[in-house]
Amino acid sequence: MLLAGASLPAAPRPHVAALLVGSGGAGLALLAVLALPDTALPGVLLASLLLGAAFVLLDFGFVGGFRALLERGDGRAVGASFLMPAVAALAIVPMGSLLEGYGRFVAPVGTSLVVGAAMFGLGMQIANGCGSGVLVAAGQGSRRMWVTLPFFCVGGVIGSLLLPSAMALPSLGEADLVAWLGPWGALLAIEALLLVAALVVLRGAWPAWSALRNAAAIGALAALLFLASGMPWGITAGLTLWAAKVVQGVGFDLATQPFWAEAWARAALDGPVLASHSSLSNVGLLLGALIAAAAKGQLRHGTSLGRRGAAGAVLGGLLMGVGARLSFGCNVGAFLGGASSASLHGLVWFLAVLPGCWLGIRLRPVFGLPR
């Protein structure tokens, strides 16, 4: 109830300059990809712009959900997030298995995955962002994430150099439900496993309808990006590529390293940076977040960081970069992309990230963050 003469707080005004920068950047990116031969690129850019805007408008993120689960036993946010791969799998499993030009993310379950996911969880908590969160918050102007981002990229290159040795460690191999059950059996199985996992995390609680709606929307947009790209949504390969381009530019020949000698990695390293679907979708995610935040008048550039916060951003970025390469992705590429591909490495990644998150939560005050 307002007192006489009182007025409602003024609504935030759009940041016109930032809105022009974001819109101009999206326009330039579109012109750049239209000049490239891959006709999928404009669709990838559009879908990723929508995803970046959706993360801001829906106020969607991963880090807080893990903290709520591990600190308070509140699994509602994490439980709702299982709806994302459940929705995306409806397109990715059958189309990625049956149609030419489409594929899935399938990775081995082994020591590299488990250790890398734990490292990622630790870095995620002390940096206060994950793969998508770093790009979205950077688009919103977060100083912390503009420190985290380059170190995330550098960590990805370090991880790419470590991955061949990590892959030699004990492993159970790929756990691909499609190979075991066929596309339709795998789709039913992964949907059932995601439902059971969500129920275990929820422990009788029920997420808010808004949380379910938001997760379903992100899952649907991830499916849209898959339709445009032909592969599930991935973030960290593009971030690794950004740093690899710089490393290559200063005279270090990455092509002699096993990871970069792979045909797809060599093509990305040698080609235009926007020709990589992962790299382009990262640009779209950042610009989409910038446009949405500027339109809402909710940029974060005014929040100070401090020395402890900067240290957490640097260390967290490095840990996430290395961990993502060792575990074949982040919350998006490994969990969302893996689970929606009916590969069990996505669910194993989720379990393996929890110990790292638990430790990272306890270290957050050291880096100026609340538990």
Side-chain angles (χ1 to χ4, degrees), residues 101-275:
Y102 290 90
R104 298 176 296 118
F105 285 166
V106 179
V109 176
T111 306
S112 180
L113 172 71
V114 172
V115 172
M119 289 178 65
F120 189 90
L122 171 57
M124 176 170 62
Q125 291 298 332
I126 63 175
N128 205 36
C130 58
S132 58
V134 168
L135 287 167
V136 169
Q140 293 174 285
S142 167
R143 297 182 187 183
R144 181 184 299 275
M145 294 313 158
W146 278 109
V147 174
T148 300
L149 182 56
F151 287 95
F152 198 140
C153 298
V154 170
V157 173
I158 296 171
S160 74
L161 302 179
L162 296 174
L163 183 59
S165 298
M167 292 291 289
L169 298 172
S171 173
L172 299 176
E174 294 180 353
D176 182 6
L177 293 175
V178 172
W180 298 345
L181 304 172
W184 302 111
L187 179 59
L188 291 174
I190 195 62
E191 297 289 4
L193 286 171
L194 289 167
L195 175 60
V196 170
L199 293 175
V200 169
V201 168
L202 289 169
R203 295 189 296 179
W206 186 255
W209 282 110
S210 60
L212 294 172
R213 176 203 64 204
N214 295 349
I218 298 296
L221 288 171
L224 178 64
L225 182 56
F226 166 78
L227 294 176
S229 171
M231 290 296 291
W233 179 22
I235 288 177
T236 61
L239 297 182
T240 301
L241 177 63
W242 292 354
K245 290 278 191 181
V246 175
V247 171
Q248 191 88 338
V250 297
F252 187 84
D253 188 8
L254 285 174
T256 62
Q257 303 301 313
F259 178 90
W260 296 101
E262 296 285 337
W264 69 269
R266 182 62 185 268
L269 193 59
D270 292 342
V273 69
L274 294 182

Side-chain angles (χ1 to χ4, degrees), residues 27-44:
L28 291 174
L30 178 59
L31 290 175
V33 299
L34 286 173
L36 297 174
D38 186 353
T39 57
L41 294 174
V44 171

Side-chain angles (χ1 to χ4, degrees), residues 50-76:
L50 292 173
L51 273 163
F55 269 83
V56 172
L57 298 176
L58 301 176
D59 194 22
F60 189 90
F62 291 98
V63 177
F66 281 108
R67 282 167 42 213
L69 173 65
L70 295 172
E71 284 288 273
R72 305 190 299 275
D74 182 355
R76 289 176 295 174

Side-chain angles (χ1 to χ4, degrees), residues 11-15 291-300:
R13 294 182 178 181
H15 295 274
I291 292 168
K296 291 183 67 179
Q298 294 182 353
L299 293 179
R300 301 181 182 178

Side-chain angles (χ1 to χ4, degrees), residues 5-23:
S7 60
L8 291 171
R13 294 182 178 181
H15 295 274
V16 177
L19 188 57
L20 291 173
V21 169
S23 302

